[in-house]
Amino acid sequence: MELRSETVLASLEMSEVGSDEEYESLPAHASLGTHMTAGAVAGVLEHTVMYPVDSVKTRMQSLQPDPKAQYRSVYSALKRIVRTEGLLRPLRGLNITVLGAGPAHALYFACYERIKRSLSDVIQNGGNSHIANGVAGSVATVLHDAFMNPAEVVKQRMQMYNSPYRSLYDCVLTVSRKEGLAAFYRSYSTQLTMNIPFQAVHFITYEFMQEHFNPQREYRPETHILSGAAAGAVSAALTTPLDVCKTLLNTQENVALSSAHVSGHLSGMVNALRTVYRLGGVPAFFKGTAHPGTEERRSQGQPYMRPVSTEAHPKSEREDQQTKEDAFDSKGNVDAHFLCSRHSSSFFVCC
C-alpha cells in the first residue's frame, strides 16, 4: 500500500508540474492545425476589438491632414468621426483585415510555437530561452507580413479621411490598375524592418517580465496584463517612427507627397524616412501617439508636438469651432467626457 501511495503521489506531482509549465500553451501533442486555428481566432479577435483605435492611429499619422481630421486624442477622434461620418465609419476596412488576419495569424502562431520549442530544446534543453523566443518571433513575422501586407494597404487607404474608395473591391481594383500589384508590397521591407524588432523585443520583454513576476508560471492574470502592457509599450516606443513611414508608403498621401515635391509614387524605406523628416522633422516620426501630460505642457508654455499643417497657423478657425462644439453637449452644458479626455493622464500606444 505504501508503494502504491507513493506512486500515486509522484504521478500527481508530475502532473502538477507539467500543468504549471504548459498552462499558457497548447498541449505538447497538439497538432499543427490546432495551433493554426487558435492563432487565427486570436488574431481576428485582436484586430476586431482594437480596430476603431487603429483607424484613429492611421489618421493621426497623416503628415498633412485635412483640418477636419486633426485630432487631440483617441476619444475625441472617435467621438468626432462617429458624429460627423457615421457610427460604422471607424470600422471601415475591417472586412479586409479579418480576411487577412485569419491566415496570417494562423501561420504566425504555428511557426512561432514550432520554432520556439525546437530552439529551446537545443539551447536550454527544453527550458525557456530568450534567444529562441526572439528568433521564433522574427521568423514567424516574415510569414505573417507576407499575408498581411496587402490587407494593410487596403485597410489604411479605406481608413483615411475622405477615402475615395467605395468598397473593398473598388480599392483593390483601383490600386492594382493604377499602381500595379507591387503597390500592395511597397511597404513590405519597412513592415519587416519594423515588425521583426517589435516582435522580438515584445516576446523577450514579456517572457522576462513573466520570469520576474510569475517565475512558477502559475495562473495569475494580473501578471499577464502587466507583462503584456510593458512589452507592448517598449516595442511600440522603439518602432513608432517606422510605423509612420509604413503608413505613408501604404496610403501614398497625395497632399504630403505634393508638398515634398515627390513625383509619382513614393517607394522604399529610406525615401519614406527622408520625406517624413522633410515634412515634419523629428516630431513627425512620433505622430499617432498620445503622450500623458501633453495638455499640461501646453498650459505651462512648454514645447509639444504639433500636427503638420499646410496653413499658416496649425489650428484653423474651423478646428477651434469644432473644439468648442466638442466641449458642450446638446443642451449647452459642459461635456464631462470632453473634460476627462482633455485632462486624462492615460497613455495610448497605438500599434
Side-chain angles (χ1 to χ4, degrees):
M1 286 294 292
E2 291 181 0
L3 180 60
R4 183 177 180 182
S5 299
E6 291 175 358
T7 303
V8 172
L9 289 174
S11 300
L12 289 174
E13 289 175 357
M14 291 179 64
S15 176
E16 290 176 356
V17 172
S19 176
D20 289 341
E21 291 178 349
E22 298 295 335
Y23 85 95
E24 288 186 89
S25 305
L26 293 172
H29 60 273
S31 66
L32 181 62
T34 302
H35 281 289
M36 296 181 74
T37 302
V41 173
V44 170
L45 287 176
E46 170 203 351
H47 283 283
T48 301
V49 171
M50 295 303 299
Y51 195 82
V53 178
D54 185 70
S55 295
V56 173
K57 183 210 71 170
T58 296
R59 292 193 179 194
M60 293 180 75
Q61 287 182 339
S62 174
L63 295 176
Q64 292 193 342
D66 187 282
K68 296 180 180 179
Q70 294 182 359
Y71 313 107
R72 298 182 181 278
S73 68
V74 175
Y75 173 77
S76 64
L78 286 173
K79 181 179 178 181
R80 188 189 301 181
I81 292 172
V82 169
R83 186 175 61 187
T84 59
E85 302 177 48
L87 181 63
L88 298 180
R89 188 60 179 84
L91 299 177
R92 195 164 190 262
L94 178 60
N95 49 359
I96 184 62
T97 301
V98 171
L99 290 175
H105 281 75
L107 283 175
Y108 180 89
F109 279 96
C111 179
Y112 174 74
E113 290 295 334
R114 284 299 180 89
I115 294 179
K116 181 183 75 171
R117 188 169 300 166
S118 299
L119 290 181
S120 295
D121 289 340
V122 175
I123 299 174
Q124 292 287 352
N125 294 324
N128 181 56
S129 169
H130 295 317
I131 296 177
N133 297 332
V135 173
S138 300
V139 175
T141 298
V142 174
L143 291 177
H144 171 275
D145 288 351
F147 277 83
M148 201 64 191
N149 207 84
E152 280 284 319
V153 173
V154 176
K155 178 203 74 173
Q156 291 198 296
R157 294 201 180 203
M158 297 186 70
Q159 287 175 332
M160 294 294 286
Y161 179 76
N162 273 343
S163 174
Y165 308 106
R166 299 187 302 272
S167 64
L168 162 64
Y169 176 76
D170 178 51
C171 182
V172 173
L173 190 63
T174 302
V175 173
S176 59
R177 182 180 300 168
K178 292 184 176 180
E179 304 177 37
L181 295 178
F184 295 105
Y185 284 94
R186 191 176 282 135
S187 64
Y188 185 55
S189 60
T190 305
Q191 183 94 349
L192 285 178
T193 305
M194 176 184 72
N195 279 348
I196 288 179
F198 179 95
Q199 297 295 346
V201 172
H202 184 279
F203 279 111
I204 291 173
T205 305
Y206 177 82
E207 297 291 348
F208 175 81
M209 295 287 289
Q210 281 291 87
E211 285 186 350
H212 182 74
F213 291 104
N214 189 15
Q216 302 301 322
R217 298 295 171 134
E218 300 172 345
Y219 182 66
R220 296 170 56 191
E222 66 276 8
T223 65
H224 298 297
I225 295 175
L226 179 61
S227 300
V234 173
S235 303
L238 293 176
T239 57
T240 294
L242 290 174
D243 193 39
V244 174
C245 294
K246 182 207 73 174
T247 298
L248 179 61
L249 290 170
N250 282 345
T251 60
Q252 296 291 305
E253 191 180 347
N254 291 329
V255 176
L257 296 184
S258 297
S259 298
H261 306 291
V262 176
S263 59
H265 302 294
L266 182 69
S267 61
M269 183 176 63
V270 175
N271 291 331
L273 288 168
R274 290 173 180 170
T275 303
V276 172
Y277 182 78
R278 186 184 308 167
L279 291 174
V282 174
F285 288 105
F286 297 93
K287 291 175 70 68
T289 59
H291 192 283
T294 298
E295 297 297 330
E296 288 75 7
R297 287 199 301 273
R298 181 181 306 173
S299 63
Q300 296 168 5
Q302 299 177 18
Y304 66 101
M305 292 186 291
R306 296 178 179 269
V308 179
S309 175
T310 56
E311 299 178 310
H313 301 284
K315 185 178 179 182
S316 66
E317 294 181 2
R318 185 178 300 174
E319 284 182 85
D320 186 65
Q321 180 64 29
Q322 185 67 55
T323 302
K324 292 177 181 178
E325 292 176 4
D326 287 342
F328 299 91
D329 60 21
S330 58
K331 296 181 180 180
N333 300 319
V334 176
D335 190 337
H337 294 293
F338 174 82
L339 292 178
C340 290
S341 68
R342 293 279 290 176
H343 298 287
S344 171
S345 61
S346 59
F347 179 47
F348 294 98
V349 180
C350 304
C351 59

